[in-house]
Amino acid sequence: MIVLQAKRRIMINSTQFSYFTLNAYIDSGHLKYLFFVILISLYILTVCANVLLIVVICMNRSLHEPMYLFLCSLFVNELYGSTGLFPFLLVQILSDIHTVSAFFCFLQIFFVYSYANVQFCNLAIMSYDRYLAICFPLQYNTRMTSKKVAMLIAITWLFPFIEVAVMISLSAPLQLCGNIINKVYCDNYSVVKLACYDTTANNIYGIIYTILIIVGVVTLILYTYIRILKVCFSGSKQTRQKAVSTCTPHLISLLNFSCGCFFEIMQSRFDMSSIPNMLRIFLSLYFLTCQPLFNPVLYGLKMSKIHRLCKSLVFSKM
C-alpha cells in the first residue's frame, strides 16, 4: 500500500518537460566574448582543415586507396560532430539563460553520441585495414576490394546511427522529475537520471550498447595491433618502418580520443566536484572540440603523401 502511494506521488510529480536547463555554465561576465572568439576560431579552423583534406583525398586519384578513403570518412565525421556542437555552444555562451528545448536537446544527444560511435568504428576499421596491409601484404588487394571498402564505411555510419536512435527512443518518452542538466550540453545519461520511475530498459540497453561499441571495438583494435607488433618484431626493417609510419598517427588519434571519452564517462558516473569547474568543462568538451581539429592536423603532418599534396594545393592557390 505504501509503495503504491509512493509510486502515485511520483507519477503526480513527474512530467514531460518542454525544455532543459544547462546548469554547468558560469557567469563569466565580459570573458564570455573571449570564450566566444576562441570557440568560433576553433570551429573555423576545424572546418577549414577537414574540408581541405576531404577535397585533397577526393580530387587526387592516387589517394583513392582504402586507407585514405577511411581517412576521408573520419574527416567527414569530424565535420559532422563539430557542427552538431559548436553552433549550440556559441549561442549558449552569449545567452544569459542557458535553456534548450527538449527536441533540440535530444537532437544534440543524437549528434554527439553518433559522432563518438562513428569515430570509434572508423578507428577500428582503420586498424583492421592496417592489419591486412602489414600482415597480409600480398593478399591485401584481394581482401580489401572497393566493394568491401564501401560496405565497411556504410557499416561504420549506419550501425551507430541505428544504435543511437534506439537509445533516444527509450529516453525521450521518460516521465521526468526535473529538467536541470549539470553540463554545458545535453547528455543522455543526465536525462535518464532525471527519470521518476524505473529505467531498467534504458540501463540494460546501455550495457548492451557499451559492450557492442566499446568492448567490441577495443577488442578488435587490440587484436589487430598485437598481430601487427608480432609481424614487426619478426619482420624486416622495411616492414617495421612501414608499420611505424602508417600506424603511429592512428594510435595517437585513438589514445587521444579514448582519453577524452574516458574522462567524460567518469564525470557522468562519479562525483567530480573536487575538480575546478572550468577544468571539468574543458575536459568534458575536449573530445568534441579538440579532436575534430587534432585529427586533420595529425594526419596532414604525419602522412607524407597527404602533406605533400596539401602543400601543393595551398601554395598553388597563392
Side-chain angles (χ1 to χ4, degrees):
M1 187 68 179
I2 295 171
V3 173
L4 286 172
Q5 286 177 345
K7 282 186 176 179
R8 212 172 286 126
R9 208 175 298 122
I10 288 171
M11 291 304 292
I12 291 167
N13 292 333
S14 68
T15 185
Q16 286 283 140
F17 287 97
S18 60
Y19 69 94
F20 291 95
T21 300
L22 300 168
N23 209 33
Y25 286 92
I26 56 174
D27 183 13
S28 53
H30 292 300
L31 279 176
K32 68 182 181 181
Y33 299 108
L34 174 63
F35 296 146
F36 180 86
V37 170
I38 291 170
L39 274 180
I40 200 167
S41 302
L42 188 60
Y43 181 48
I44 291 168
L45 284 171
T46 298
V47 170
C48 291
N50 283 285
V51 168
L52 172 65
L53 292 182
I54 291 167
V55 169
V56 165
I57 292 170
C58 290
M59 286 180 61
N60 291 276
R61 292 188 65 84
S62 62
L63 297 181
H64 291 183
E65 300 172 14
M67 178 173 66
Y68 298 108
L69 294 176
F70 293 136
L71 272 177
C72 189
S73 173
L74 189 76
F75 299 143
V76 170
N77 188 46
E78 303 297 8
L79 279 177
Y80 166 78
S82 55
T83 302
L85 181 75
F86 272 101
F88 174 84
L89 284 178
L90 292 169
V91 170
Q92 288 294 327
I93 283 172
L94 294 181
S95 177
D96 293 324
I97 303 170
H98 306 293
T99 60
V100 57
S101 69
F103 172 78
F104 280 108
C105 187
F106 284 110
L107 184 64
Q108 188 179 57
I109 290 170
F110 182 84
F111 270 102
V112 170
Y113 277 69
S114 55
Y115 159 73
N117 292 345
V118 170
Q119 190 85 342
F120 271 122
C121 289
N122 221 124
L123 290 169
I125 296 302
M126 288 167 68
S127 68
Y128 173 68
D129 174 68
R130 292 301 82 208
Y131 160 69
L132 289 182
I134 293 165
C135 298
F136 303 97
L138 299 178
Q139 303 167 39
Y140 178 74
N141 289 330
T142 55
R143 289 194 177 200
M144 192 58 78
T145 61
S146 56
K147 187 176 178 181
K148 190 172 183 180
V149 169
M151 183 191 72
L152 288 172
I153 291 174
I155 291 170
T156 297
W157 285 84
L158 288 174
F159 179 66
F161 273 39
I162 293 167
E163 207 173 32
V164 175
V166 173
M167 180 189 72
I168 290 173
S169 70
L170 291 171
S171 302
L174 291 174
Q175 295 290 321
L176 308 177
C177 285
N179 66 337
I180 295 175
I181 296 174
N182 293 312
K183 301 192 75 168
V184 293
Y185 63 91
C186 290
D187 165 57
N188 185 68
Y189 186 70
S190 297
V191 173
V192 172
K193 283 197 296 186
L194 295 171
C196 292
Y197 58 91
D198 187 39
T199 56
T200 303
N202 301 76
N203 296 332
I204 291 171
Y205 185 76
I207 293 168
I208 296 169
Y209 173 88
T210 304
I211 291 170
L212 286 174
I213 287 292
I214 297 177
V215 177
V217 167
V218 169
T219 302
L220 175 61
I221 292 171
L222 285 175
Y223 172 77
T224 54
Y225 273 97
I226 288 168
R227 293 294 302 273
I228 288 169
L229 284 171
K230 285 177 73 175
V231 170
C232 289
F233 283 123
S234 61
S236 63
K237 185 180 178 182
Q238 187 180 1
T239 305
R240 284 195 294 274
Q241 286 176 339
K242 182 185 175 183
V244 168
S245 64
T246 60
C247 294
T248 301
H250 177 264
L251 278 173
I252 294 170
S253 176
L254 176 65
L255 288 170
N256 186 57
F257 187 68
S258 299
C259 289
C261 288
F262 176 74
F263 180 84
E264 179 54 17
I265 292 168
M266 293 291 288
Q267 184 174 231
S268 297
R269 266 63 177 180
F270 301 101
D271 180 24
M272 294 283 185
S273 56
S274 58
I275 298 174
N277 194 44
M278 285 295 290
L279 182 60
R280 283 207 313 272
I281 292 171
F282 170 75
L283 291 173
S284 70
L285 288 171
Y286 179 80
F287 81 105
L288 292 166
T289 55
C290 297
Q291 183 77 8
L293 180 60
F294 178 82
N295 270 341
V297 171
L298 174 69
Y299 285 103
L301 292 174
K302 285 286 184 182
M303 304 196 78
S304 56
K305 210 170 181 180
I306 292 180
H307 183 63
R308 190 170 60 251
L309 287 168
C310 281
K311 279 177 69 176
S312 63
L313 180 66
V314 171
F315 289 112
S316 66
K317 301 292 182 183
M318 293 176 68

